[in-house]
Amino acid sequence: MKAELGDFQTPPALIAEILKCLSKNNKYWERVFEPTCGRGNFISGLLALDQPPKEIQAIEFDTEYFQAAKSIYKKTDSTHVVIQQAKIFDLDLGQSLKWSAKGNLLVIGNPPWVTNSQLGSLGSNNLPIKTNFKGLKGLEALTGSSNFDITEYIWIKLIQELVYEKPTIALLCKTAVARNVLQFAFDAQLKISNASIRLIDAKKWFKASVSACLFCLDIGVDKPSYQADVYSNLSANQPESTIGIIDNKLVADIKAYQKSAFLNGSSSLTWRQGLKHDAASVIELTYIAEGVFQNKFKQIVDVESGYIYPLLKSTDLFHGKIESKRGVIVTQKRIGEDTNILQQSAPRLWQYLESHSKQFDKRKSSIYKNKPPFSIFGIGDYSFSLYKVAISGLHKQPRFRVVHPINNRPVMLDDTCYFIPCNSMEEAVLLACLFNSDLCLDFIKAITFLDAKRPITKKLLQSIDLDALLNNIPQEQLIEQAISEYQRFKAYSDRKIEWLSTLELLSKNISTVSASVQSHNRQLIIVN
């Protein structure tokens, strides 16, 4: 594989299966376009059909592949084949493709499975011009949301520039790319319909550990649709599920979502993300003995103990390991706080950080630019709450956990975790029971894509309407579950709990915040 190009050449056997799948309804495409043709395997497959297209056009940037592809079409007289050596990103496809034949157009192929940042890090010049083509704002654009698969860019270019040709587009890509394209098409109101996702075995065909598919849709329709039937393979006749846009969001299973759609809204409590520092070798520590920690360089860390806090990571949360053997150095109490004060308030810590300054200098994210030395993110008053309800963002099965203090110190979470700060242990227990209810978990499963790198996100969690959740779970059932859950934590609190009054207080807090948010939103609507 050419790493620079993110290149997976498609095996002829897979191409044969794809072409068989696309011809199920006996549809014939007089014209075929391949945006990145590689060695020409798709062209060979198309020419081998009983009824090949009248015309094939293709683009390839790599000289070696271009020459290999050219050698194929020299062997045919029945189909007019044109291959351009060019970057797809430099062309206006509406103007650059000069067709001699007329008829239905199929766009087919297997564009690079690589992100723009990966190509950039390899020094590749096979990249689109840098633009914020998704229109991301602020922190999203700085922290990775602006990183995209090259295939995703190509998809959107094809849809926008070939809309007047009304083609069918069928490309191999990651399933995450297919979803992103569907979401973008809805956001931009692009005219697409008849979308389908047919899963393929990427490990078998490409030795790639990623969820991949043949993503197919029609362009330029009068009535757009932003749903896609999901099939288990290329030959399946019935879809396993249907993903699509409902209530302005992409959901993983439309039928399942409709049963719990009333929970879709806005959380009246704010979900927070754990600490982001990108300096784990220095900041994250391992407990050796009482008051003794070492870093990932196996060095004993001698700093003021008040700056070391217990740390839980996503794996700890998922497996319910609430007794941490990890520690983390917290250099700030709020984002942007001047860290130079540590020279006086914590001289040993400052010396330790200074001795490892090169590790901090290696941090590539632009969020650290022009910030105080040794800055961290995901820090605020909420981080120091003694009690939290938290969840791993990385695991497919959602499990909400109560986090309590360790040795009377608040526990920090890393940036793969999300949490709500709580005022007490009982409040955390009640919230955990709410979120772990079948009703809530069914809603989460309906909107969660399990193959995503981070199935659980802050955006997802913030969309759970706590008011609606509270109103649809009987008080008696919730209190019974809370009492059972609380037994696990009796060692951390000897208070006698009045569960009903605690629940009423929590409900009042949620309702008050929710009403305040709704009022604020109404005022914004009036102003706008």
Side-chain angles (χ1 to χ4, degrees), residues 442-460:
D442 286 345
F443 173 73
I444 292 174
K445 289 172 185 175
I447 62 177
T448 301
F449 295 95
L450 298 183
D451 63 308
K453 289 183 179 179
R454 191 176 291 229
I456 306 296
T457 64
K458 180 178 177 178
K459 184 178 180 180
L460 180 155

Side-chain angles (χ1 to χ4, degrees), residues 430 475 479 497-506:
L430 280 168
Q475 277 193 354
I479 290 174
I497 308 301
E498 294 291 341
W499 285 108
L500 185 57
S501 60
T502 302
L503 178 57
E504 289 173 348
L505 184 62
L506 177 61

Side-chain angles (χ1 to χ4, degrees), residues 8 13 32 89 104 123-124 139-140 159 172 216 224 249 279 288 297 348 414 426 433 435 449 480 499 507 516:
F8 290 102
V32 176
F89 315 113
N104 295 323
S124 171
L139 199 60
E140 275 188 311
I159 294 171
L172 290 171
C216 184
K249 71 194 299 179
I288 302 299
F297 298 116
R348 283 182 291 146
D414 77 358
E426 50 269 32
C433 290
F435 289 123
F449 295 95
E480 184 178 334
W499 285 108
S507 301
S516 175

Side-chain angles (χ1 to χ4, degrees), residues 43 74 127 177 246 279 282 306 315 334 353 424 457 463 476 525:
I43 296 174
K74 289 178 180 178
L127 278 165
V177 167
I246 298 186
V282 178
T315 301
R334 55 179 172 79
L353 296 172
S424 64
T457 64
S463 73
E476 297 80 4
I525 292 171

Side-chain angles (χ1 to χ4, degrees), residues 66-82:
F66 173 68
Q67 295 298 334
K70 278 179 64 178
S71 68
I72 294 170
Y73 77 80
K74 289 178 180 178
K75 301 174 184 177
T76 181
D77 296 321
S78 61
T79 300
H80 180 53
V81 180
V82 178

Side-chain angles (χ1 to χ4, degrees), residues 140-324:
E140 275 188 311
L142 290 175
T143 57
S145 295
S146 57
N147 187 27
F148 56 89
D149 270 77
I150 293 299
T151 305
E152 189 177 335
Y153 185 97
I154 292 173
W155 258 109
I156 293 166
K157 182 178 178 69
L158 291 168
I159 294 171
Q160 292 177 330
E161 296 182 8
L162 296 179
V163 62
Y164 296 111
E165 293 279 2
K166 296 186 176 181
T168 294
I169 305 180
L171 301 180
L172 290 171
C173 61
K174 299 174 187 175
T175 52
V177 167
R179 294 194 296 267
N180 289 343
V181 170
L182 205 58
Q183 180 70 61
F184 184 91
F186 170 75
D187 293 339
Q189 289 298 288
L190 303 180
K191 293 182 177 181
I192 69 168
S193 69
N194 300 325
S196 65
I197 291 173
R198 290 184 174 272
L199 302 179
I200 64 164
D201 188 344
K203 192 74 173 176
K204 171 185 174 182
W205 295 112
F206 302 112
K207 295 182 172 57
S209 299
V210 64
S211 176
C213 66
L214 177 70
F215 184 36
C216 184
L217 48 77
D218 293 334
I219 309 299
V221 295
D222 294 329
K223 293 183 178 180
S225 170
Y226 304 101
Q227 297 183 0
D229 289 333
V230 180
Y231 296 83
S232 59
N233 54 57
L234 293 170
S235 60
N237 292 319
Q238 296 296 324
E240 291 187 329
S241 62
T242 301
I243 71 171
I245 307 292
I246 298 186
D247 298 331
N248 296 324
K249 71 194 299 179
L250 184 64
V251 303
D253 189 326
I254 288 177
K255 287 183 179 178
Y257 173 81
Q258 288 169 338
K259 296 176 183 178
S260 55
F262 60 88
L263 290 183
N264 180 51
S266 180
S267 174
S268 48
L269 302 180
T270 301
W271 283 92
R272 304 290 184 176
Q273 192 167 359
L275 297 180
K276 178 176 176 60
H277 49 71
D278 295 310
S281 58
V282 178
I283 282 184
E284 291 186 7
L285 311 175
T286 302
Y287 177 86
I288 302 299
E290 185 66 33
V292 181
F293 291 88
Q294 71 175 18
N295 61 23
K296 295 194 176 181
F297 298 116
K298 303 298 182 182
Q299 301 167 335
I300 299 299
V301 176
D302 178 23
V303 302
E304 288 78 3
S305 60
Y307 292 86
I308 299 177
Y309 291 83
L311 174 68
L312 290 177
K313 300 172 81 71
S314 55
T315 301
D316 301 321
L317 286 181
F318 181 74
H319 293 291
K321 296 179 179 179
I322 56 175
E323 289 291 344
S324 176

